[in-house]
Amino acid sequence: MDEKQDQRFMQAAIDQANIALENDDVPVGAVIVCENKIIAKGYNQRQQLNDPTAHAEIIALTAAAEHIGHWRLLNCTIYVTLEPCPMCAGALVLARIDRLVFGCDDPKTGACGSLYNIVQDNRLNHRLEITKGVLADDCSKMLQDFFSVKRERKDNGF
């Protein structure tokens, strides 16, 4: 993939993050691409579904598996606005996603290079190619603005 293509698909993930924001959830979005087409989308829905596992990546993985008709998502790339957490990183490995592209690092829970690197751990049976920092400033600003508002309102639900 080229840089423009990565930016185009990351913008689609940002669009998904905006839906999470509209639903008062942490603005993280994801899209899964196969053969240069978006086959699945997801955004954080933890608040909406009252489900701690309803991360953007998990929602998108489920939709992609349904679209393809198989749990192995070979030849697919996931674009996500924030570095995946350990749960999501593990799910990406198990789904056999080929490539992960993410916007901004997550120094608190990132499991794709920041705290851990689950998706490239040689002890596991599958590893992903990683491209990071695509539209990082846009992705980071969205999260910073969200949490700034939460702090101002003293909303400790996150």
Side-chain angles (χ1 to χ4, degrees):
M1 292 267 180
D2 65 20
E3 189 176 336
K4 280 212 183 290
Q5 195 101 333
D6 282 346
Q7 290 176 354
R8 180 170 70 93
F9 290 127
M10 185 59 72
Q11 186 57 57
I14 290 170
D15 293 345
Q16 290 297 300
N18 276 314
I19 298 171
L21 184 62
E22 291 167 8
N23 287 294
D24 198 34
D25 211 325
V26 178
V28 177
V31 298
I32 296 179
V33 173
C34 189
E35 297 177 357
N36 288 329
K37 288 186 228 166
I38 294 174
I39 63 165
K41 300 175 182 179
Y43 57 89
N44 271 5
Q45 296 182 46
R46 295 177 313 160
Q47 297 293 97
Q48 191 175 350
L49 299 177
N50 203 26
D51 179 353
T53 68
H55 289 202
E57 300 95 322
I58 301 300
I59 303 288
L61 285 170
T62 300
E66 186 174 321
H67 176 85
I68 288 175
H70 201 280
W71 62 268
R72 286 188 183 149
L73 303 179
L74 303 173
N75 303 311
C76 292
T77 298
I78 187 166
Y79 292 81
V80 62
T81 56
L82 178 66
E83 178 182 359
C85 72
M87 174 184 69
C88 294
L92 295 175
V93 170
L94 293 173
R96 310 298 197 269
I97 291 276
D98 286 347
R99 183 169 176 246
L100 162 66
V101 180
F102 66 87
C104 58
D105 293 338
D106 185 350
K108 292 185 178 180
T109 64
C112 302
S114 290
L115 290 179
Y116 310 101
N117 195 349
I118 292 170
V119 299
Q120 292 184 327
D121 191 317
N122 287 328
R123 296 169 294 180
L124 300 176
N125 64 340
H126 180 75
R127 283 161 293 290
L128 285 71
E129 175 187 335
I130 298 175
T131 302
K132 64 181 194 170
V134 177
L135 300 182
D137 291 342
D138 296 340
C139 296
S140 181
K141 182 169 180 3
M142 181 180 286
L143 288 159
Q144 288 171 350
D145 291 350
F146 175 80
F147 285 112
S148 177
V149 167
K150 291 294 178 187
R151 281 190 298 276
E152 285 174 18
R153 292 183 188 161
K154 295 186 170 120
D155 183 348
N156 296 325
F158 291 89

